[in-house]
Each structure stands twice: as structure tokens, then as C-alpha cells.
Amino acid sequence: MIKITNICKSYNNTQALQGISLEVNDGELFGLIGPDGAGKTTLMRILMTLLIQDEGQAEMNGLDVVKDYKRIRQLVGYMPGRFSLYQDLTVEENLSFFATVFGTTIEENYELIRDIYVQIEPFKNRLAGKLSGGMKQKLALSCALIHKPEILVLDEPTTGVDAVSRKEFWDMLKKLQKQGITILVSTPYMDEAGLCDRVALMQEGEVLSIDTPARIVENYSSTLLAARSDEMHRLIEDLRHWEKIDSAYAFGQFAHVTPKDDEMEAVELEQYLMHKKHNNLQVHEIAPGIEDVFMALMSGDRSY
Amino acid sequence: MKQGKIENSEPDTMTATENLSAERTPVISVKNLVKKFGNFVANDHLTFDVFKGEIFGFLGANGAGKTTAMRILCGLSSPTSGELMVSGYDVYKQAELIKRNIGYMSQKFSLYEDMTVAENIRFYAGIYGLSVRQRKEKEQVMLQKLNLESVRDKLIASLPLGWKQKLAFSIALLHDPKIIFLDEPTGGVDPITRRQFWDLIYEAAAEGKTIFVTTHYMDEAEYCSRVSIMVDGRIAALDTPDVLKKQFGADNMNGVFLQLARSATRTD
Amino acid sequence: MDRFLGFVKKEFFHIFRDRRTMIILFGIPIIQLMLFGTVITNEIKDARIAIYDQSKDEMTQEITSKLLSSGYFLLDRNLQTTNDIEAILKKGRVKEVLVFGRDFSRKLKREGKADIQIIADASDPNLAKMLTSYTTGIINDYIFKEMGDLHLPMQVEPEVRMVYNENLQSVYMFVPGIMAMILMLISAMMTSISITREKELGTMEILLVSPLRPVQIILGKVTPYLLLSIINAVLILGIGHFIFGVPIKGSWVLLMGESVLFILMALCLGIMISSLSKTQMVAMFISVIALMLPTILLSGFIFSIENMPLPLQVVSHIIPPRWFIVILRNIMLKGVGMAYVWKETLVLVFMALLFVTIAVKKFKTRLE
């Protein structure tokens, strides 16, 4: 398990992490969800013993990340952002290189990576630099798994990869989780939060909320309305100019609207918009998603 | 899925789209676009129109051929065959005129990090031949609109990603282009900043600009008026997100895309 | 050990698969050597000379015609006064001026001594050196044949004066110089680039979190370049010696030993640079600006140290190739042994130790 207590870290003048505390249980698939600059990478690098925190403690399977860094490095698999592979080595050479580095062989741990590796095995003599994003991602994961780690730390593994590869990747993570591996994964995509057992929503070095995706959404108490019309831009402008509205943001084809008064009903909003002469109007109440919650949590301390 | 029935059950949406198409003139018109690299067919007979004021989503997996097609539309690469008009100009003969009438911004679009906000604006204004007075005026208007007046003399490097993105988009609009090409524009920013970015896009569209967005993030597709999805160099689907979702019986564009992309044979 | 070998194998893959690396490794040394070599051994042909003959007697005429018929020289003009000499050299077309003293043949026959002055334009020192040696050769040859019956001390003693570059260096200097430059380039620049490349790619993160120890990473990075640099050293010495006839008077073993020492020093320097730079570009800049340029300019390779202004002479002491070039010159050209190069050797050993200490201290097991 991973135990993080009050971790602070700053570079130059910016506070990258401002007192992060969280726990990841054994065998859990835990997500760090947040945009660039939230501190996800910094936190992971501290856990991977690549950085030393200014304050606080962190333990990986009971080992301190500062004192026991050598032992941690043996038991954790790490996939840094941007698929760190040797572009000029073939798929197979990459894998066997990382195997030798960890003092093992591909054959020894083939079981663990088989499901993933079979998908790229047909291309095993291709240079890694010539692989598609999805295949690079699979190879990077295979390399991170080659020494049978107990904990897997993945920094934005799905960034820059298309939807199909993303889906396959999450399926692979679920399978690995079943084999008892504890997985900590970060992503800037809110829609991936639902695929984790529990998530920490992060923003500017702070944790906004930690819970299961379902409970995070349940805890959102405000009323949320969705509205659409033929003119999205005017719709949003009209909504924002109405004094009864707290916020209005585009969510795909709809605008998500948070009224100041939780009692407001869809009808009232619809009447207002009809009065503003919107065509093909649709208004209804909706259940919030992770992204709605994230935005609500964020908007408290926004300066711009 | 009973696709036929669903299409029939939504006559309203369909007619709406058709009406939309009928009354507007295409700003981008592509007929049978083919682009070959040796034996490799990157774009295989693409045919589509993009209309004025539309936010057109151009989707596809990595390597489906969307970047190739977009480069051709921007006049950066010539097609092997096909009829293409962009902003009323012929892609083969008038590439230079096309470039003057389009704006371009990508995720990697870099403002000069070692220059200030104002310097960047003035530099790009200069590139597009705006006069010194126009430049000053544009700079003023832009900074005001983006709320960046307080940082006008700050280096780009010191700004948050979201601000850079908004600034980059506004700079792409500097020379008043008719069409703006956005290459994976909103990755990595927080959800609110992202919405603010889309506000800018909607505003530009409402002003009559045409927005052409390439992306492989499907939730970005939900924001578009119409989307085309490319698979293996062909356009596999093209319609409004609503119609596509119903057609494929999916909750979101991701579902639509997964069904289409599963049939892909190309991997790279 | 397996880990280490695996690492070295990977490094060789990188090297052999990158055409640019291969060119830098083997193309550049050979091209450099050939360039310098051919420029220097270039046969003189139709070099323009001027003659100021104050005697105009039989002997000077004959010497003149010998010179001109050799094919090496072309008479530009005959000079009338001493003043013309400088004027004509300044124009630059004439590379050498030959001045015969008064009463040449009479003096030679009577006193057994005669004066010839050879003034060469040494703004191109190698050419000047060659011109003068060709000229003296031809003159001496003539005198020998002509005055064969006379006893030996009776010889023309040409007085050679180099203008514009009084301290002409040995033509053989180019081999030690190139050797120092190439070994520096490959060892320091290539290692620093290959280490920083991993930082840029992000693979360094994975290596750091692996059970590999920093020492293993460093050794793994350095070993291939050590081997390749040794091959290069042999190659350069071989080409220099067998193709260009540069003498190697001293011991080959000592020469190779010193070369390996220099390579090790340069590798340490490369590691040190890599630990100071974050990107390949920075590493390359440091290598080129802080290493290559001083190697070329301040090591005595092209410009002699004695002629530099004092501050530069002082600076040249911290340029490692300066010491290496002295060692090479001593062993190759003078044929001396350890007794004469121990001081320079110690300096290199000290530098290697210094760099490796800084490198290991600076090489982090973490990212900051």
C-alpha cells in the first residue's frame, strides 16, 4: 500500500505540492485526476524516490521513500509520462534491456506481461520509434512490468493516445489489478475517473477530494440543469447574464447550469430562455459528473 | 441496432441539418480528395463540405489520415487528386491566398516563450502585415478581452497553460481569417479553463468564423456542430453528434468512435 | 555483471544505429586526418618566387636556372633593390624571395662561404617551411655537385628568415593535434550527449528507479566510447605513421598508455558535462565551446603557446590537450621516455581524478 502524509514540495518559488495526504490500499486501482500543473507528476516522482519532499512522509509497502529508496526501486514498476522507451531499439530489445537492468529475463516473467505483449509481439523487430502511440504505450507498460512489481505507478499513460488504445489500456490495468498489483495512475481526463476504484481530484498542488467516483458525485449537493439551443454562444451569454444563475459552462452539446437557488426547476430556466427567443430549446435536470464536481470544487479559489 | 428505424424516428434533426446545409454556402468543399505517399493511401476519396459558422470536428485515431488532410486544406501539402476549395480558393493554384485567409493553432503552437505577451501579439500582427496603428489597436482589444492586461509585459513562459492557449487562439484570429484550424487544442488544461477556451471558440463561430478542429479526444467532439470520423484514410461517418450517437446507439462520441475504430486495420 | 553487459550492448545499438554518431566517430577522424595530411604534404608546384641577385655571376645564374627548371618554382620577377622585397611579399603573390649576396661565386671559391638569403612568406607557415627546405635542398645539391672537389665545410649557408610567423611549428604537429582533438570530441562530447539524451527521453527516470547503481550506469555509458576511442587512437596513429610518414620514435606502448589516460580523462569530463546539462543541446554547446575551441586554439595545436599573450598562456594550462600534445610530441617526434613526460602525465592523471570526482558527486540518484 501507499501511504502519503502531508507532503509538501516547492520548486523555486512555486509550491508544487501543498500538504498532500492520501492512502492507496493494497490491490487498489487509484487515480490522481487533475490538469497539467496539479502536481501529479511531482507526487509520483516523490513516490518513485526520484525527488525528495520538503516536508511530510511517504511510504510504499511500508518502506520510506527517502531512507529505503533502494529497496523501493526493486518493488515498484514505473511508467513516466511520454512513454520513455529507446526509439532506436526494437520492441524486443527494449523489453530485454529493461529485463536485464532488473536482473531478470523476458521468459521468467512472461506470464505477467503475456496479455499485453502478445498484441505487440508481431512487431517485435520493429524499432520502438516507429510504433503507433497505442503500441508504444503497451510496450512501455510491458517494460514497467517486466520485474513483477508489487506496485505500479503510471504517469499519464493515456495522454496522446486515441480512444481505442485508451480503452484497451484501462482493460489491461483492470486485469493487472486482479493479479494483486497495487496501481497508482494519473490522468488529466475526468472521464477516466470512473474507471478507478478511488480517485483524488487534484488542482494546483492540493487535493480537492478523495473518494470513490460514485461517492464524489453523490456528495455534490447543488442542483444541476442542462440546456441547449441552436445558438450555443448566445445561450451561454444569456445564462451568465441572468442573476439567478451561479455558473454556466459548455458541456458538449449542452450547457451545464448551476442556479443560485437549488430549488430552481428546469421549467423556470426554460421559460427564461424562451423569453430570450432561443430555438429548439431543451432544458432538463441532470445528475452531475466528475467534471461538474471538479469545476465546482475548483471555482472557490479562482482568480481569473 | 435498428439503425434505419432510429434515423426515421428523428426526422426533425435530419431536416434541421439538411436545411442548415442547403441555406449555407460551403467554406471548405472537398470532393474525392486522394493523397498517396508511394503506395500508401493516406486519404482515400474524402468528400465533405464545411459550412460558414460551423464548428467542424475532424476525428480519427492516430494515423487515420486526419493530419494529412488538414495539411492539404491549409495549403501546406498538395493533394494527389480531387477537387478542393478552401475559403473560395483553389488548393492547387491559390495556396498562398488560402494561407492568408486561415488561422492555425495547435496544441504545440508555441508563442515565443522568451517574449512578452505584448511582443508576441505585435510580432504576429506584423507577420500578417497589419499596420502599426492596427497592431496597437488589436493588442489593446485582445488584452482587454482576454483579461490579460495585467500581464502584458510578462514573459509567455511565466503564464499558466490555459492563458497561453487562449492567447494563442486569439493570435490565430488576429488577421481576421475566415477559417480557423485547431489541432488538438484543449489537452491538459483544467476543466474551467477548457470551458473558457470553448467560450472563445463559440464566440468566433457566432461571429461567422468557421472552426475546423482535429482531435482524437472524443469528448472534444461533443462540442462540435458536426463531426466526421476517419478510419483507415476514409470518412466512416459524418453528421451531428446527436445523430451519430443515435445511429450507433452510444451514450457519447467515445462509444461511436470505438465502434467505428474497431474495424480499423491500419495501426500506424 | 549481466546488467552491465546488457547496458553496454544497448549503448552499442545506439551508436551503430545512428548514422550521425557513426560519422562523428569514424568519418570525422579520417577526413580530418586526410585533410590536414594532404594540405601539409602537398607537393609544391609553380610557387612564385622573386630573386634579388646582387652578384649576377655564373654561379648565381646557374642556381637560378636549377631552381626554375625544378618545376617547383616560377620566377615572378627580378628585384633591383632591397626595398622591393617587402613590397612584393606584401602583395602576397610571391611566396619566397631569394637574395644572393655580392660576389657570390668569388666569395665561395675564395673563402668557402657565400651568402644567400631566403625570405619566405610564413603567413602560411607550412608552405613557407616547405619552400625554404626545397630551395635549400636544391642549392646544396648544386653546390655539392659543382664544388665536389672542395672539402666539405665549404658550403653555402643559406640564411632562412621566416617573416610573419617567426616560430614555425613542425609539420608533424598535426597528428598529435588531431589526435587530441578527436579523442576529446568523441570521448567528452559523445558521452555527454548520450547521457543527456536519456534525460531528455525520460529513460533516465526509469534507469534511476531501477536497481542499477549510478556507477553502473556511468560505466555502461563510458565503456563503449572507451573502446571506440582506443580504436580511433590506433587508427589516427596508424594513418599518420604509415600514410603520412609521421615518425614514432618513442615506445608504442607508452604512447598507447598515455592515449588511454587522455581518453579516460576526456570521458570523465564528458560525464561531468552531462551531469551539469539537462539537454543534449546544452551538452553539445558546452562540449564545442568549452572543449573543442580551446583544444583547437589554445592547446598549441595550431598556434604556438609561446607566442600567446600571457593571460592566454596561463589559461592554456587548464586545457587538457595542451599537456597531451606535449606528451605526444615528445614520444613521437623526440622519442623520449617516461622520464621526460612524467610531469604532463601527472597533470592528466590529476585532471581525470578531479573530473571523475565532480562527475560522481554531481551524478544524482534522483532527479534534482
Side-chain angles (χ1 to χ4, degrees), chain A residues 50 73 78 86 88 93, chain C residues 14 17 198 205 208 365 367:
Chain A
L50 285 167
R73 290 175 181 193
Y78 176 46
Y86 294 103
D88 54 350
E93 285 162 357
Chain C
H14 290 320
R17 282 184 193 168
E198 301 233 11
E205 277 182 62
L208 285 177
T365 49
L367 283 176

Side-chain angles (χ1 to χ4, degrees), chain A residues 53-275:
Chain A
Q53 67 272 28
D54 300 337
E55 279 174 52
Q57 280 88 44
E59 284 178 6
M60 304 277 271
N61 277 6
L63 299 167
D64 185 271
V65 291
V66 181
K67 277 183 280 168
D68 306 316
Y69 75 95
K70 282 191 180 149
R71 282 164 67 200
I72 289 180
R73 290 175 181 193
Q74 301 272 4
L75 63 88
V76 188
Y78 176 46
M79 192 171 141
R82 330 164 264 157
F83 321 129
S84 307
L85 297 164
Y86 294 103
Q87 313 283 324
D88 54 350
L89 298 192
T90 64
V91 168
E92 199 178 21
E93 285 162 357
N94 263 294
L95 195 58
S96 67
F97 170 69
F98 285 111
T100 26
V101 160
F102 283 94
T104 177
T105 57
I106 300 179
E107 293 73 33
E108 215 172 304
N109 293 318
Y110 191 74
E111 264 319 291
L112 188 61
I113 60 164
R114 190 176 55 199
D115 283 347
I116 306 159
Y117 191 58
V118 285
Q119 302 177 45
I120 45 174
E121 214 164 13
F123 311 101
K124 68 179 179 185
N125 292 321
R126 195 184 281 194
L127 295 184
K130 298 237 152 77
L131 295 176
S132 69
M135 289 204 283
K136 275 188 194 154
Q137 179 198 41
K138 282 171 194 149
L139 176 57
L141 182 62
S142 303
C143 291
L145 284 169
I146 195 69
H147 60 293
K148 265 195 182 156
E150 293 167 28
I151 300 176
L152 199 53
V153 175
L154 312 165
D155 192 4
E156 298 205 3
T158 53
T159 298
V161 179
D162 66 57
V164 178
S165 303
R166 275 166 71 184
K167 169 117 189 13
E168 284 173 359
F169 194 82
W170 279 98
D171 292 343
M172 287 185 277
L173 290 190
K174 293 273 181 201
K175 276 191 193 157
L176 290 171
Q177 187 193 6
K178 286 208 183 85
Q179 306 203 34
I181 299 177
T182 307
I183 303 173
L184 179 67
V185 59
S186 71
T187 174
Y189 304 115
M190 304 286 152
D191 54 344
E192 290 183 341
L195 301 166
C196 304
D197 295 338
R198 284 194 308 142
V199 294
L201 303 184
M202 287 181 74
Q203 165 76 6
E204 287 174 359
E206 284 176 289
V207 170
L208 301 174
S209 172
I210 303 177
D211 216 325
T212 62
R215 266 205 297 269
I216 282 187
V217 171
E218 278 166 28
N219 288 342
Y220 184 85
S221 51
S222 324
T223 302
L224 195 65
L225 301 169
R228 72 179 287 179
S229 81
D230 281 349
E231 294 163 275
M232 186 57 135
H233 182 60
R234 194 161 71 84
L235 177 77
I236 290 177
E237 291 289 303
D238 285 343
L239 288 167
R240 287 188 186 153
H241 283 111
W242 197 24
E243 70 283 354
K244 292 192 175 177
I245 300 299
D246 194 37
S247 70
Y249 290 111
F251 263 81
Q253 302 290 301
F254 286 85
H256 284 193
V257 188
T258 318
K260 282 189 179 138
D261 179 6
D262 282 341
E263 303 298 307
M264 182 191 275
E265 302 220 348
V267 190
E268 192 185 345
L269 184 63
E270 192 166 5
Q271 273 164 0
Y272 167 75
L273 291 172
M274 268 159 71
H275 173 69

